Amino acid sequence: MKTAVTLSLTPQARGGPFVFWDDLDSTFALIGELGFQAVELFLPGPGDYRGLATRIAAHGLAVAAVGTGAGWILQGLTLTHPDGAKRIQARDFIRRTIDMAGSWKAPVIIGSMQGRRDPAGSRESSLDFLGEALQALGRHAAEQGQILLYEPLNRYETDLFNRQVEAAVWLKTSGAKNVRLLSDLFHMNIEEPDLAAALREAGSMVGHVHFADSNRRAMGSGHTDAAAAVAALREMGYDGYYSAEILPLPDSASAARQTIARLRQLLAPASLATAPLGTLVSSGEV
Ligand code: LER
Ligand code: MN
């Protein structure tokens, strides 16, 4: 089981689904004490974060992945932007993020930076832009020894790909190599009729998982059948991260604690997997 929790250092993303919002030593100490192996970073952009990387490593943590959505939030960039100059800037932003993340042995995520269909154009032309960008960026990630993660989002955030298998089939035919899916259980809850079936069908294309309940809170707060999703991932031999990209509710520490408890429960022997979570937390079983 590889576990991670999100940390945003992008104040403009406040209100977004990130558990921790500061890079204090006490934050990394708590993440380590809870038993997470890694942090997933949401940074304002590529830059010199050597101090941050050193502190993360000093606490025995790895970097699970690096998000690029700040390129959209702060600069309005997307890989499918109708303005060609913005598309070039978006690619450059991601390319430099890949270089930075590569030094941390982490893959980069393309989520919001995929953009949406140009209302004045066709979905096909937007997909052509996306496909060309993923080909180039997938090659660039390979040079860093990393995969590139492409994340289908729910219909309110993109109209390019909302579902796992559709995205997987398109990726395989688009010519993009070295690109795997980021399967976010929150988006999947909105779009997939059956989460476990979608994960199974996407199979080895699944490269990273955002472990979030239906209401984007810590698993166990909503109505997602996490047991079925995790069972499917285990059967498939999924060996990537379960990363909590969730709202920091009721507070960051509680959201992180509930996530790790639920993961331990789901990956525990069958006798514990069906017990009520509260009992296990209070009895110290998880
Ligand atoms: C990014 O991982 C994501 O899931 C998007 O919805 C941005 O919030
Ligand atoms: Mn996500």
Side-chain angles (χ1 to χ4, degrees):
M1 168 170 87
K2 280 161 72 178
T3 55
V5 65
T6 44
L7 165 64
S8 168
L9 296 179
T10 306
Q12 296 86 343
R14 278 268 169 208
F18 304 106
V19 178
F20 292 103
W21 291 85
D22 63 66
D23 58 353
L24 300 174
D25 274 315
S26 56
T27 300
F28 296 124
L30 173 65
I31 293 171
E33 275 160 29
L34 288 174
F36 287 96
Q37 288 144 356
V39 285
E40 179 180 315
L41 298 172
F42 191 82
L43 302 171
D48 183 356
Y49 293 100
R50 276 174 289 190
L52 172 68
T54 303
R55 287 218 312 296
I56 291 171
H59 286 275
L61 298 166
V63 178
V66 181
T68 56
W72 177 64
I73 297 175
L74 303 183
Q75 299 181 45
L77 305 177
T78 74
L79 295 173
T80 54
H81 202 288
D83 177 348
K86 295 267 189 199
R87 291 197 300 276
I88 290 171
Q89 286 171 43
R91 238 194 244 200
D92 189 55
F93 182 101
I94 295 168
R95 201 177 41 73
R96 288 185 293 126
T97 307
I98 289 171
D99 292 338
M100 179 180 76
S103 68
W104 306 335
K105 300 187 171 28
V108 159
I109 299 168
I110 296 178
S112 308
M113 286 287 269
Q114 70 192 274
R116 294 168 188 257
R117 171 185 165 167
D118 173 5
S122 66
R123 179 165 182 267
E124 281 63 40
S125 61
S126 297
L127 291 185
D128 286 346
F129 290 143
L130 183 64
E132 280 167 30
L134 292 184
Q135 281 183 36
L137 294 169
R139 276 196 303 272
H140 197 72
E143 285 164 17
Q144 289 287 347
Q146 295 299 321
I147 55 167
L148 182 67
L149 295 167
Y150 169 71
E151 181 174 22
L153 304 175
N154 73 68
R155 67 191 68 185
Y156 306 106
E157 298 187 37
T158 190
D159 48 12
L160 298 178
F161 287 104
N162 307 123
R163 290 173 65 170
Q164 305 296 306
V165 176
E166 268 176 45
V169 169
W170 175 78
L171 278 174
K172 282 186 174 158
T173 55
S174 69
K177 303 239 169 23
N178 195 40
V179 184
R180 308 258 295 278
L181 292 175
L182 193 177
S183 304
D184 183 325
L185 302 184
F186 165 73
H187 297 302
M188 289 178 68
N189 166 68
I190 296 170
E191 301 296 346
E192 306 282 358
D194 181 333
L195 271 61
L199 290 166
R200 274 199 196 93
E201 205 176 334
S204 60
M205 283 298 284
V206 178
H208 193 80
V209 168
H210 277 162
F211 192 67
D213 214 324
S214 53
N215 50 7
R216 222 170 200 181
R217 291 175 65 156
M219 199 59 90
S221 310
H223 55 74
T224 289
D225 186 351
V230 171
L233 288 161
R234 293 181 80 185
E235 274 167 43
M236 288 154 50
Y238 171 72
D239 63 357
Y241 278 99
Y242 292 85
S243 182
E245 188 192 60
I246 53 173
L247 298 164
L249 296 172
D251 57 74
S252 301
S254 306
R257 193 171 284 116
Q258 182 171 325
T259 295
I260 200 81
R262 189 74 176 114
L263 277 170
R264 286 189 177 136
Q265 183 190 29
L266 290 170
L267 296 165
S271 57
L272 295 181
T274 50
L277 183 57
T279 329
L280 295 174
V281 174
S282 55
S283 70
E285 293 272 16
V286 290

